[in-house]
Amino acid sequence: MAEAHQAVAFQFTVTPDGVDFRLSREALKHIYLSGINSWKKRLIRIKNGILRGVYPGSPTSWLAIVMATVGFSYCEVDISMGLVCCIQRCLPERCGPYQTPQTRALLSMAIFSTGVWVTGIFLFRQTLKLLLSYHGWMFEMHGKTSHFTKIWAIGVRLLSSQRPMLYSFQTSLPKLPVPGVRATIQRYLESVQPLLDDEEYYRMETLAKEFQDKTAPRLQKYLILKSWWATNYVSDWWEEYIYLRGRTPLTVNSNYYVMDLVLVKNTDVQAARLGNAVHAMIMYRRKLDREEIKPVMALGMVPMCSYQMERMFNTTRIPGKETDVLQHLAESRHVAVYHKGRFFKVWLYEGSRLLKPRDLEMQFQRILDDPSPPQPGEEKLAALTAGGRVEWAQARQTFFSSGKNKASLDAIERAAFFVALDEESHCYSPDDEASLSLYGKALLHGNCYNRWFDKSFTLISFKNGVLGLNTEHAWADAPIIGHLWEFVLGTDTLHLGYTESGHCLGEPNPMLAPPQRLQWDIPEQCQAVIESSYQVAKALADDVELYCFQFLPFGKGLIKKCRTSPDAFVQIALQLAHFRDKGKFCLTYEASMTRMFREGRTETVRSCTSESKVFVQAMTKGPHVKADLQNLFRKASEKHQNMYRLAMTGAGIDRHLFCLYLVSKYLGVRSPFLAEVLSEPWRLSTSQIPQSQIRMFDPNQYPNYLAAGGGFGPVADDGYGVSYMIAGENTIFFHVSSKFSSSETNAQRFGNHIRQALLDIADLFQVPKANN
């Protein structure tokens, strides 16, 4: 596809008479409008920075205080208690030719009013931070709220109801506390007790006590010092050492996927669906830039940290030989697109105007209709992002540091996000159980060279109009991309819409310059590296067994009749299913969030507890009285819920031990206890997928507008990865992954055990179920 001549601002020709310049007025006009748009964004950021900085104050409140001070002064009432007079005496006597007693008095009152205003803002923030540091409300029984918590809730509602911007509460959020070493070790030993025999437990207890008495106090002091200095004592190390320093391929090991609405379909036209989705994403980005998105609030009043949203767009993971880095740009006006082995650059704006969905549909259709073949080495180029990180870093430095390769790579890495136009079709058909699993596999790794795994996310468009996401994990966790995805699906369905023939609404502008084909010069040596990376990624992808299914007998509604939390219900069912699958218990990872703290990300809930072990053994070792099983289940459920609350409130186990381990490495201190803890494999890694963060769909009005959530690859070679979404009142979606190379695991077998475990636990409480 030829490059657009309109993109050239001027051309020149050397003639015998001199140099002949030819200016393009249209191009200059676009450059001018682009500059105006950039300045508008800068001014918006400056304005938002000021408004965020003085929240909950505002220019209006400052003016009101000034007017009140002046008004009382006019009535000869000195509300400043003499401070205005003191300020007036401190002012220079001759500040200008118009300095009069009246103006000096007004200036003094303005200074006093500003001081009152700033002091009020400071007290507000400190009071809110103090209130948000209280987490006792999480540990109170439902319906048994204490008087103290009720008063606390009133205070929080009063202080957090001032129409906040996205980042208004950031400075009011408390810091993540550093737990005590003794408490962390006690909780750790409690978590491994159901997994060890008496001899193994005694050995671990001895190691833990030795660490607690000898090594830990010194390490803890450094960690507390970091917590005083840094905004969050975990998050920067977690991002660097868990994600960016990882040298294994991102595909399967790190990136995760997100699915589309699976029970309804808006259009079959691939380019049209993509046009609406891309337009909705840029609308979301504009709201993000302007901080017009409301902060996520627990219980509708406790603000969650929003810092992870900053790097959602215009972000790429850049490979390095020892560690990767996240490159985030303030602005990007295009997306990079892959189709049939070719890369394209598609502009999102015409001048300062965001392209309409119909214009974007036309641009994507132009790419679909383009018959040009891939250039040598271009087709599998993205496999470099799917293979080993060291190999990609070396190839990037050797073959992509200059010339047209660098320019084209910059176009991809500096894009708002990456778009993959696939030639195959995928969707969920309830009559075809395998369809959901095939859809998930396509999103998780594709063919290993049609996703740019380094981008913050790849928007995937299948031939039948179904969409999905493949998301890089370092920049943020799943709830963040879930927030964007809910907005996109809701905007696409409820606000943008389609014509009867399935196209975007409106008329396209045929004068738009066509998408720009990226140019490459890839030598044979580089092609060999690309092929090697592809083979590594393909081996990983081929080894992944993914089993996705919709559990139909019941959902959240009937679980609540068991008087337990839906998450605890599912987690205990997973323990029962795993024991039936392998005949033993294992270290289990469940991700919880710590976003009630500033720059908080996640903490681990160790779901295999002594209480859940007792319940599972009772369920599998012969007949028991149903009332006894119910009692054991409730004990296990209460234990799980308490552990989840502890993790959310900064009293978890694993992040604290992880940071102590890093400090020991920095200091050159050897700790057998920490080395063993950090090497323990998570053979069952689980995560609940968030939903309804924005609540764009009314479940009563749109009961079938359900996304199926998403999933990830297994963490351990001989383990399982399980993600689940409790999708409303009547259904649950599961995504189970394992590796074919392990003789101990089988994703479909484990999925069937999960189904049966859910039914068996429901039978304990005689919960009526729909037909399976």
Side-chain angles (χ1 to χ4, degrees), residues 7-61:
V8 182
F10 68 90
Q11 297 176 336
F12 65 91
T13 304
V14 180
T15 68
D17 299 326
V19 180
D20 179 25
F21 286 95
R22 295 190 300 277
L23 298 178
S24 169
R25 292 184 179 180
E26 187 66 21
L28 291 175
K29 173 186 173 184
H30 285 302
I31 292 172
Y32 168 75
L33 292 175
S34 177
I36 293 296
N37 190 51
S38 296
W39 276 106
K40 283 182 179 178
K41 283 191 173 182
R42 288 190 185 98
L43 292 174
I44 288 171
R45 290 192 185 105
I46 292 171
K47 182 197 76 172
N48 288 343
I50 294 171
L51 293 177
R52 187 193 328 125
V54 301
Y55 182 85
S58 65
T60 304
S61 62

Side-chain angles (χ1 to χ4, degrees), residues 313-512:
F313 295 94
N314 325 331
T315 298
T316 300
R317 180 167 171 164
I318 305 297
K321 293 181 180 179
E322 294 184 0
T323 182
D324 296 351
V325 295
L326 287 175
Q327 172 186 281
H328 173 69
L329 305 176
E331 184 179 4
S332 176
R333 297 173 62 81
H334 72 276
V335 292
V337 182
Y338 179 90
H339 176 245
K340 281 188 175 181
R342 295 97 34 92
F343 291 88
F344 298 85
K345 181 178 182 178
V346 176
W347 292 102
L348 299 170
Y349 294 85
E350 184 186 18
S352 61
R353 181 183 67 84
L354 172 63
L355 293 185
K356 296 178 181 178
R358 190 68 180 88
D359 291 330
L360 290 167
E361 177 189 347
M362 179 186 69
Q363 297 292 64
F364 293 127
Q365 191 61 51
R366 284 173 168 175
I367 293 175
L368 291 170
D369 295 338
D370 185 344
S372 61
Q375 300 162 74
E378 181 182 18
E379 183 179 12
K380 295 183 180 179
L381 175 62
L384 289 170
T385 70
R389 304 306 292 171
V390 174
E391 293 78 5
W392 174 208
Q394 291 171 340
R396 189 176 187 276
Q397 183 178 358
T398 304
F399 303 109
F400 297 91
S401 57
S402 62
K404 62 173 66 174
N405 287 352
K406 183 180 188 303
S408 294
L409 182 62
D410 281 348
I412 295 173
E413 293 181 338
R414 300 176 73 86
F417 51 91
F418 193 79
V419 177
L421 284 165
D422 281 15
E423 281 296 295
E424 57 187 23
S425 295
H426 283 286
C427 66
Y428 171 49
S429 172
D431 298 327
D432 181 9
E433 185 181 65
S435 61
L436 196 63
S437 302
L438 292 172
Y439 176 28
K441 282 273 284 182
L443 294 174
L444 179 62
H445 51 67
N447 61 16
C448 299
Y449 57 80
N450 58 356
R451 316 278 181 258
W452 198 270
F453 292 97
D454 287 353
K455 288 301 290 182
S456 55
F457 63 89
T458 295
L459 174 61
I460 301 160
S461 171
F462 296 105
K463 197 165 188 176
N464 57 348
V466 173
L467 301 176
L469 298 175
N470 182 287
T471 308
E472 201 279 319
H473 210 326
W475 64 274
D477 301 308
I480 305 302
I481 200 71
H483 195 279
L484 164 69
W485 198 231
E486 284 185 36
F487 177 88
V488 170
L489 297 181
T491 303
D492 171 40
T493 302
L494 303 178
H495 300 294
L496 297 179
Y498 299 89
T499 64
E500 291 183 1
S501 59
H503 292 280
C504 297
L505 299 176
E507 293 295 327
N509 176 11
M511 301 304 294
L512 282 175

Side-chain angles (χ1 to χ4, degrees), residues 58-350:
S58 65
T60 304
S61 62
W62 174 82
L63 185 61
I65 294 173
V66 172
M67 292 178 66
T69 304
V70 173
F72 277 106
S73 177
Y74 182 79
C75 297
E76 298 184 353
V77 177
D78 185 9
I79 60 172
S80 73
M81 302 175 63
L83 286 176
V84 170
C85 294
C86 291
I87 294 171
Q88 192 170 352
R89 286 196 297 269
C90 293
L91 290 175
E93 293 187 3
R94 294 184 178 180
C95 292
Y98 303 103
Q99 185 68 287
T100 64
Q102 290 80 7
T103 56
R104 287 169 62 84
L106 285 173
L107 182 59
S108 302
M109 285 184 274
I111 294 172
F112 167 77
S113 301
T114 302
V116 171
W117 184 63
V118 170
T119 302
I121 292 169
F122 176 78
L123 291 175
F124 165 91
R125 290 185 173 181
Q126 294 305 310
T127 302
L128 183 58
K129 181 179 286 190
L130 184 64
L131 289 172
L132 295 178
S133 299
Y134 168 72
H135 300 118
W137 58 276
M138 293 190 66
F139 297 88
E140 294 182 350
M141 296 291 292
H142 184 68
K144 296 182 179 179
T145 308
S146 67
H147 292 298
F148 182 84
T149 298
K150 289 178 181 177
I151 296 171
W152 166 85
I154 292 171
V156 172
R157 286 187 186 278
L158 288 174
L159 295 176
S160 62
S161 59
Q162 304 294 318
R163 294 185 179 180
M165 301 171 70
L166 178 61
Y167 304 118
S168 292
F169 293 118
Q170 290 298 101
T171 56
S172 298
L173 294 174
K175 286 188 175 185
L176 183 68
V178 180
V181 171
R182 184 181 299 275
T184 296
I185 290 179
Q186 180 182 348
R187 284 193 287 268
Y188 168 78
L189 291 173
E190 188 179 329
S191 74
V192 297
Q193 191 167 17
L195 306 174
L196 306 175
D197 59 30
D198 291 343
E199 183 178 342
E200 291 171 330
Y201 181 76
Y202 176 75
R203 185 182 68 84
M204 183 55 73
E205 191 177 37
T206 303
L207 286 176
K209 182 170 178 54
E210 181 184 5
F211 170 74
Q212 178 181 313
D213 294 340
K214 296 181 179 179
T215 311
R218 182 186 176 197
L219 305 182
Q220 181 79 345
K221 289 176 183 177
Y222 281 95
L223 206 54
I224 291 173
L225 181 63
K226 187 194 176 187
S227 73
W228 291 345
W229 177 256
T231 307
N232 187 295
Y233 81 92
V234 175
S235 293
D236 58 337
W237 283 350
W238 186 255
E239 179 179 299
E240 179 181 356
Y241 289 97
I242 297 301
Y243 295 116
L244 298 180
R245 282 186 178 267
R247 302 294 82 197
T248 56
L250 299 184
T251 181
V252 176
N253 295 317
S254 181
N255 284 29
Y256 58 94
Y257 65 87
V258 184
M259 286 185 170
D260 198 355
L261 300 173
V262 292
L263 302 181
V264 295
K265 201 171 182 184
N266 293 324
T267 180
D268 291 321
V269 182
Q270 183 179 15
R273 185 78 198 287
L274 193 55
N276 265 5
V278 171
H279 183 83
M281 284 180 167
I282 301 305
M283 286 174 60
Y284 184 95
R285 186 180 70 169
R286 183 163 57 189
K287 287 177 173 289
L288 193 64
D289 290 341
R290 297 177 179 180
E291 301 184 30
E292 295 172 352
I293 297 171
K294 294 180 180 179
V296 176
M297 311 281 272
L299 300 180
M301 64 177 182
V302 179
M304 301 284 105
C305 181
S306 303
Y307 100 100
Q308 293 181 62
M309 299 174 107
E310 295 176 2
R311 298 180 294 182
M312 186 178 296
F313 295 94
N314 325 331
T315 298
T316 300
R317 180 167 171 164
I318 305 297
K321 293 181 180 179
E322 294 184 0
T323 182
D324 296 351
V325 295
L326 287 175
Q327 172 186 281
H328 173 69
L329 305 176
E331 184 179 4
S332 176
R333 297 173 62 81
H334 72 276
V335 292
V337 182
Y338 179 90
H339 176 245
K340 281 188 175 181
R342 295 97 34 92
F343 291 88
F344 298 85
K345 181 178 182 178
V346 176
W347 292 102
L348 299 170
Y349 294 85
E350 184 186 18

